[in-house]
Amino acid sequence: MEALLHALIDRAEAEAETVMPGFTHLQAAQPVTFGHHLMAYAEMFFRDRSRLRDARRRLNECPLGAAALAGTSFPIDRDATAKDLGFDRPMRNSIDAVSDRDFALDYLSAAAIAAVHLSRLAEELVLWSTPQFGFVKMAEAFTSGSSIMPQKRNPDAAELVRGKAGRVFGHLQALLATLKGLPLAYSKDMQEDKEGVFDAADTLDLCLAAAAEMVRGMGVNPVRMRAAAGVGFTTATDLADWLVRVKGIPFREAHGVAGRAVKAAEARGCGLENLSLGELQAVDPRIDAGAFEVLGVDASVRSRTSEGGTAPERVRVAALAARDRLAGGAA
């Protein structure tokens, strides 16, 4: 997971100024930087790392000495055996020690959430590498040719990462279903805990390694990304914000003005930035030449300087902070 975090942070720094479309509902929404987009995944995997650490803190208790379910009459020192075996402490209740599998559920839950994040990243790599998007080119080692169409390079590794998420989810659901109807204490059903946990761990490990190398090895097409960033009138919100900030117009009203400007651009078949000042003033006479300073995608991303925003300077600050979190071991 740390290898993947390093890969994401490295690429985010390198692409801090690469403009791309940001999406909501998979529709072009506002321009963002590719570095900012990658740092969103870094935040997800930081939380995954934190969840795994939390799980370990809870699960690292020693059941030795619980015996069948009631403890033992032999004069043992459970604290000593727990310490010798590398546990933080002995489990506090002998029945709980033999009959519960929270340690496995905690791990599988954290693994399943991490698999969700891996799958979403993989899905975007699949989309971005299509000719229709053309944002990235996957390294050849993580693609394969078609059995019938010689021109194709299929993003097989990303598809497998996406597909294997369901396998991890299944192991969590299987263990939940196994445990849900069991009385205390031990039942033989519980032997079903092992195969799923071991396979989930192996699967997650493989997918994390593959994702890290895919992120490191992908080629980026900044020209294609930047061109796509302006499609769909993605700076309309910038115009509305400008009307609020500079002209003091309430946002509800500014939203309507920007919407009418979009309709004017649609009618002309051009972008907002290609409308003349006269055409913009025909929409609302309060618009002046200063509006053109916010209608380009580069100006849009540079303006988003709030903490956690997409401006290149903010991406660099976030990447540096993320490196410090990794080096210091913080979540």
Side-chain angles (χ1 to χ4, degrees), residues 8-33:
L8 287 165
I9 295 165
D10 288 346
R11 293 311 300 261
E13 273 191 329
E15 307 297 341
E17 297 197 30
T18 302
V19 179
M20 68 174 289
F23 298 94
T24 62
H25 310 278
L26 204 55
Q27 304 290 317
Q30 291 180 285
V32 297
T33 51

mmCIF file of all heavy atoms in Angstrom, residues 8-33:
data_model
loop_
_atom_site.group_PDB
_atom_site.id
_atom_site.type_symbol
_atom_site.label_atom_id
_atom_site.label_comp_id
_atom_site.label_asym_id
_atom_site.label_seq_id
_atom_site.Cartn_x
_atom_site.Cartn_y
_atom_site.Cartn_z
ATOM 1 N N LEU A 8 1.461 7.160 -6.524
ATOM 2 C CA LEU A 8 0.440 8.182 -6.745
ATOM 3 C C LEU A 8 0.986 9.584 -6.456
ATOM 4 O O LEU A 8 0.737 10.523 -7.220
ATOM 5 C CB LEU A 8 -0.774 7.903 -5.861
ATOM 6 C CG LEU A 8 -1.646 6.711 -6.275
ATOM 7 C CD1 LEU A 8 -2.590 6.325 -5.137
ATOM 8 C CD2 LEU A 8 -2.443 7.040 -7.539
ATOM 9 N N ILE A 9 1.729 9.709 -5.367
ATOM 10 C CA ILE A 9 2.259 11.021 -4.991
ATOM 11 C C ILE A 9 3.291 11.491 -6.017
ATOM 12 O O ILE A 9 3.306 12.660 -6.421
ATOM 13 C CB ILE A 9 2.860 10.966 -3.573
ATOM 14 C CG1 ILE A 9 1.756 10.684 -2.546
ATOM 15 C CG2 ILE A 9 3.576 12.274 -3.239
ATOM 16 C CD1 ILE A 9 2.275 10.247 -1.189
ATOM 17 N N ASP A 10 4.162 10.582 -6.476
ATOM 18 C CA ASP A 10 5.156 10.946 -7.490
ATOM 19 C C ASP A 10 4.481 11.450 -8.764
ATOM 20 O O ASP A 10 4.871 12.483 -9.327
ATOM 21 C CB ASP A 10 6.038 9.735 -7.824
ATOM 22 C CG ASP A 10 7.003 9.380 -6.706
ATOM 23 O OD1 ASP A 10 7.195 10.203 -5.789
ATOM 24 O OD2 ASP A 10 7.556 8.255 -6.748
ATOM 25 N N ARG A 11 3.454 10.703 -9.220
ATOM 26 C CA ARG A 11 2.782 11.109 -10.449
ATOM 27 C C ARG A 11 1.985 12.386 -10.244
ATOM 28 O O ARG A 11 1.873 13.225 -11.142
ATOM 29 C CB ARG A 11 1.850 9.995 -10.956
ATOM 30 C CG ARG A 11 2.532 8.728 -11.446
ATOM 31 C CD ARG A 11 3.672 8.978 -12.436
ATOM 32 N NE ARG A 11 3.286 9.651 -13.656
ATOM 33 C CZ ARG A 11 3.060 9.028 -14.825
ATOM 34 N NH1 ARG A 11 3.156 7.715 -14.895
ATOM 35 N NH2 ARG A 11 2.753 9.717 -15.903
ATOM 36 N N ALA A 12 1.401 12.556 -9.068
ATOM 37 C CA ALA A 12 0.644 13.779 -8.785
ATOM 38 C C ALA A 12 1.538 15.003 -8.867
ATOM 39 O O ALA A 12 1.155 16.041 -9.432
ATOM 40 C CB ALA A 12 -0.011 13.680 -7.415
ATOM 41 N N GLU A 13 2.735 14.900 -8.301
ATOM 42 C CA GLU A 13 3.684 16.020 -8.389
ATOM 43 C C GLU A 13 4.059 16.306 -9.834
ATOM 44 O O GLU A 13 4.105 17.469 -10.260
ATOM 45 C CB GLU A 13 4.940 15.700 -7.584
ATOM 46 C CG GLU A 13 4.844 16.072 -6.122
ATOM 47 C CD GLU A 13 6.188 15.998 -5.427
ATOM 48 O OE1 GLU A 13 7.029 15.171 -5.821
ATOM 49 O OE2 GLU A 13 6.392 16.772 -4.487
ATOM 50 N N ALA A 14 4.306 15.259 -10.592
ATOM 51 C CA ALA A 14 4.708 15.430 -11.979
ATOM 52 C C ALA A 14 3.585 16.027 -12.828
ATOM 53 O O ALA A 14 3.844 16.723 -13.813
ATOM 54 C CB ALA A 14 5.141 14.086 -12.570
ATOM 55 N N GLU A 15 2.342 15.757 -12.451
ATOM 56 C CA GLU A 15 1.184 16.216 -13.231
ATOM 57 C C GLU A 15 0.412 17.312 -12.504
ATOM 58 O O GLU A 15 -0.775 17.509 -12.735
ATOM 59 C CB GLU A 15 0.249 15.037 -13.527
ATOM 60 C CG GLU A 15 0.906 13.832 -14.160
ATOM 61 C CD GLU A 15 1.490 14.099 -15.541
ATOM 62 O OE1 GLU A 15 1.083 15.111 -16.166
ATOM 63 O OE2 GLU A 15 2.347 13.324 -16.004
ATOM 64 N N ALA A 16 1.098 18.066 -11.656
ATOM 65 C CA ALA A 16 0.420 19.100 -10.868
ATOM 66 C C ALA A 16 -0.216 20.166 -11.741
ATOM 67 O O ALA A 16 -1.202 20.797 -11.346
ATOM 68 C CB ALA A 16 1.405 19.736 -9.885
ATOM 69 N N GLU A 17 0.321 20.406 -12.939
ATOM 70 C CA GLU A 17 -0.213 21.450 -13.817
ATOM 71 C C GLU A 17 -0.951 20.880 -15.023
ATOM 72 O O GLU A 17 -1.391 21.649 -15.895
ATOM 73 C CB GLU A 17 0.920 22.364 -14.274
ATOM 74 C CG GLU A 17 1.582 23.109 -13.113
ATOM 75 C CD GLU A 17 2.414 24.292 -13.582
ATOM 76 O OE1 GLU A 17 2.075 24.877 -14.617
ATOM 77 O OE2 GLU A 17 3.380 24.614 -12.888
ATOM 78 N N THR A 18 -1.096 19.569 -15.095
ATOM 79 C CA THR A 18 -1.797 18.950 -16.220
ATOM 80 C C THR A 18 -3.296 19.097 -16.023
ATOM 81 O O THR A 18 -3.864 18.561 -15.071
ATOM 82 C CB THR A 18 -1.420 17.460 -16.337
ATOM 83 O OG1 THR A 18 -0.005 17.342 -16.498
ATOM 84 C CG2 THR A 18 -2.127 16.815 -17.515
ATOM 85 N N VAL A 19 -3.938 19.836 -16.910
ATOM 86 C CA VAL A 19 -5.371 20.125 -16.782
ATOM 87 C C VAL A 19 -6.179 19.007 -17.428
ATOM 88 O O VAL A 19 -5.848 18.527 -18.523
ATOM 89 C CB VAL A 19 -5.715 21.475 -17.433
ATOM 90 C CG1 VAL A 19 -7.207 21.775 -17.315
ATOM 91 C CG2 VAL A 19 -4.903 22.594 -16.796
ATOM 92 N N MET A 20 -7.224 18.592 -16.745
ATOM 93 C CA MET A 20 -8.120 17.558 -17.265
ATOM 94 C C MET A 20 -9.555 17.903 -16.864
ATOM 95 O O MET A 20 -9.764 18.744 -15.987
ATOM 96 C CB MET A 20 -7.745 16.184 -16.695
ATOM 97 C CG MET A 20 -8.010 16.030 -15.202
ATOM 98 S SD MET A 20 -7.724 14.339 -14.581
ATOM 99 C CE MET A 20 -9.106 13.456 -15.323
ATOM 100 N N PRO A 21 -10.537 17.278 -17.474
ATOM 101 C CA PRO A 21 -11.910 17.515 -17.026
ATOM 102 C C PRO A 21 -12.185 16.777 -15.721
ATOM 103 O O PRO A 21 -11.798 15.616 -15.556
ATOM 104 C CB PRO A 21 -12.767 16.951 -18.171
ATOM 105 C CG PRO A 21 -11.888 15.942 -18.838
ATOM 106 C CD PRO A 21 -10.476 16.409 -18.661
ATOM 107 N N GLY A 22 -12.831 17.464 -14.791
ATOM 108 C CA GLY A 22 -13.372 16.793 -13.617
ATOM 109 C C GLY A 22 -14.818 16.439 -13.903
ATOM 110 O O GLY A 22 -15.532 17.202 -14.572
ATOM 111 N N PHE A 23 -15.248 15.300 -13.415
ATOM 112 C CA PHE A 23 -16.569 14.793 -13.757
ATOM 113 C C PHE A 23 -17.470 14.686 -12.531
ATOM 114 O O PHE A 23 -17.011 14.381 -11.430
ATOM 115 C CB PHE A 23 -16.467 13.396 -14.384
ATOM 116 C CG PHE A 23 -15.689 13.361 -15.678
ATOM 117 C CD1 PHE A 23 -14.339 13.056 -15.685
ATOM 118 C CD2 PHE A 23 -16.313 13.631 -16.883
ATOM 119 C CE1 PHE A 23 -13.618 13.012 -16.864
ATOM 120 C CE2 PHE A 23 -15.606 13.596 -18.070
ATOM 121 C CZ PHE A 23 -14.252 13.290 -18.070
ATOM 122 N N THR A 24 -18.747 14.931 -12.733
ATOM 123 C CA THR A 24 -19.794 14.442 -11.836
ATOM 124 C C THR A 24 -20.822 13.768 -12.727
ATOM 125 O O THR A 24 -21.096 14.239 -13.846
ATOM 126 C CB THR A 24 -20.454 15.575 -11.023
ATOM 127 O OG1 THR A 24 -21.090 16.491 -11.920
ATOM 128 C CG2 THR A 24 -19.438 16.320 -10.175
ATOM 129 N N HIS A 25 -21.363 12.658 -12.271
ATOM 130 C CA HIS A 25 -22.293 11.861 -13.084
ATOM 131 C C HIS A 25 -21.646 11.409 -14.401
ATOM 132 O O HIS A 25 -22.338 11.137 -15.379
ATOM 133 C CB HIS A 25 -23.584 12.640 -13.388
ATOM 134 C CG HIS A 25 -24.217 13.263 -12.179
ATOM 135 N ND1 HIS A 25 -25.022 12.555 -11.316
ATOM 136 C CD2 HIS A 25 -24.142 14.514 -11.685
ATOM 137 C CE1 HIS A 25 -25.436 13.354 -10.343
ATOM 138 N NE2 HIS A 25 -24.898 14.543 -10.531
ATOM 139 N N LEU A 26 -20.307 11.357 -14.425
ATOM 140 C CA LEU A 26 -19.516 11.071 -15.624
ATOM 141 C C LEU A 26 -19.781 12.087 -16.731
ATOM 142 O O LEU A 26 -19.594 11.815 -17.909
ATOM 143 C CB LEU A 26 -19.729 9.644 -16.139
ATOM 144 C CG LEU A 26 -18.591 9.058 -16.986
ATOM 145 C CD1 LEU A 26 -17.261 9.121 -16.260
ATOM 146 C CD2 LEU A 26 -18.887 7.636 -17.411
ATOM 147 N N GLN A 27 -20.245 13.271 -16.345
ATOM 148 C CA GLN A 27 -20.399 14.398 -17.266
ATOM 149 C C GLN A 27 -19.356 15.445 -16.891
ATOM 150 O O GLN A 27 -19.078 15.662 -15.714
ATOM 151 C CB GLN A 27 -21.799 15.018 -17.142
ATOM 152 C CG GLN A 27 -22.936 14.033 -17.363
ATOM 153 C CD GLN A 27 -23.038 13.571 -18.809
ATOM 154 O OE1 GLN A 27 -22.920 14.375 -19.723
ATOM 155 N NE2 GLN A 27 -23.256 12.283 -19.004
ATOM 156 N N ALA A 28 -18.786 16.096 -17.903
ATOM 157 C CA ALA A 28 -17.781 17.125 -17.640
ATOM 158 C C ALA A 28 -18.370 18.188 -16.730
ATOM 159 O O ALA A 28 -19.447 18.722 -16.997
ATOM 160 C CB ALA A 28 -17.310 17.739 -18.953
ATOM 161 N N ALA A 29 -17.661 18.492 -15.632
ATOM 162 C CA ALA A 29 -18.199 19.397 -14.617
ATOM 163 C C ALA A 29 -17.355 20.664 -14.497
ATOM 164 O O ALA A 29 -17.812 21.758 -14.807
ATOM 165 C CB ALA A 29 -18.277 18.681 -13.275
ATOM 166 N N GLN A 30 -16.108 20.517 -14.042
ATOM 167 C CA GLN A 30 -15.192 21.644 -13.909
ATOM 168 C C GLN A 30 -13.785 21.163 -14.229
ATOM 169 O O GLN A 30 -13.457 19.990 -14.010
ATOM 170 C CB GLN A 30 -15.223 22.202 -12.482
ATOM 171 C CG GLN A 30 -16.514 22.908 -12.097
ATOM 172 C CD GLN A 30 -16.454 23.420 -10.664
ATOM 173 O OE1 GLN A 30 -16.565 22.657 -9.717
ATOM 174 N NE2 GLN A 30 -16.278 24.718 -10.511
ATOM 175 N N PRO A 31 -12.930 22.054 -14.730
ATOM 176 C CA PRO A 31 -11.540 21.649 -14.948
ATOM 177 C C PRO A 31 -10.850 21.365 -13.609
ATOM 178 O O PRO A 31 -11.077 22.060 -12.619
ATOM 179 C CB PRO A 31 -10.914 22.865 -15.635
ATOM 180 C CG PRO A 31 -12.060 23.678 -16.130
ATOM 181 C CD PRO A 31 -13.183 23.435 -15.172
ATOM 182 N N VAL A 32 -10.030 20.340 -13.601
ATOM 183 C CA VAL A 32 -9.186 20.026 -12.452
ATOM 184 C C VAL A 32 -7.798 19.694 -12.983
ATOM 185 O O VAL A 32 -7.582 19.642 -14.196
ATOM 186 C CB VAL A 32 -9.742 18.836 -11.625
ATOM 187 C CG1 VAL A 32 -11.098 19.166 -11.040
ATOM 188 C CG2 VAL A 32 -9.815 17.568 -12.466
ATOM 189 N N THR A 33 -6.873 19.463 -12.097
ATOM 190 C CA THR A 33 -5.558 18.999 -12.523
ATOM 191 C C THR A 33 -5.461 17.496 -12.293
ATOM 192 O O THR A 33 -6.065 16.951 -11.368
ATOM 193 C CB THR A 33 -4.434 19.716 -11.757
ATOM 194 O OG1 THR A 33 -4.682 19.632 -10.348
ATOM 195 C CG2 THR A 33 -4.358 21.168 -12.160
#
